[in-house]
Amino acid sequence: MRVCSLPSRSTRAVPLSSPVLSPSPGVGAPSAADLLRFARGVAADASLVSSLPLDPEGRTWIRLEGPGGSQAWLIGWPPGTGTGWHDHGGSHGAFVTADGRLTEQSLTAQLPTEGWTLLELAEGVDRERQLAAQDGRAFGPHHVHQVFNSSEEEHAVSVHAYYPPLPLMRRYGRTGRVLRLEEVEWPEEWT
């Protein structure tokens, strides 16, 4: 599996004004369930999904306006690409596979966000799920995972939404049960 960062050459904001995808008036911050509903709606929009330019070498994306001030992305995954282990800086979120199939490996343990660089994980904290088209999941602010396209031939496309907008992402290295904090990425690095 090759790990790629989002390339900056494909960034563009796409406003979504469909009543199905817009937040309800008077509602506060979107919940993880709201973000999952939003991601499912975008994933079902064949026109938008097909507008994403796909690159055989690296992930591409379109920036979307999510509900209630959330941050959202439509992401293309060439065969063999993935994110590596990471968290979302305390934001909750959701993602849905729009086309193809993705694999998510995640930890069931809630990790401390500060004050460590190396942790030994207990047995039984690993989870893996396959997400085919229209499959998705919501997650809380302490979620640590990696997502990848294990296909050798097919691109995958997915929709991701986060609230509050990602303040940072922590990247982790993993060897067996040992998780090591390797890098902190800031939003200005993604544009």
Side-chain angles (χ1 to χ4, degrees), residues 89-133:
S91 296
H92 61 270
F95 73 99
V96 173
T97 302
D99 191 30
R101 177 179 295 275
L102 292 171
T103 300
E104 179 197 33
Q105 295 174 334
S106 62
L107 302 176
T108 61
Q110 182 174 321
L111 303 182
T113 57
E114 302 294 330
W116 68 276
T117 58
L118 189 71
L119 284 176
E120 183 173 351
L121 301 169
E123 300 244 356
V125 299
D126 288 298
R127 295 291 179 267
E128 181 171 304
R129 63 187 72 185
Q130 303 295 314
L131 298 152

Side-chain angles (χ1 to χ4, degrees), residues 14 52 74-75 77 121 139 142 158 175:
V14 177
L52 179 67
L74 180 66
I75 300 174
W77 305 75
L121 301 169
F139 52 84
H142 298 283
S158 58
T175 305

Side-chain angles (χ1 to χ4, degrees), residues 5 7 31 64 67 73 117 123 126 130 149 157 172-173 190:
S5 295
S31 67
L64 307 171
W73 308 87
T117 58
E123 300 244 356
D126 288 298
Q130 303 295 314
N149 178 1
V157 176
Y172 304 99
W190 309 325

Side-chain angles (χ1 to χ4, degrees), residues 1-4 55-59 78-84 148:
M1 174 183 53
R2 188 181 65 191
V3 177
C4 299
D55 181 333
E57 298 300 317
R59 291 189 299 154
T81 59
T83 61
F148 55 92

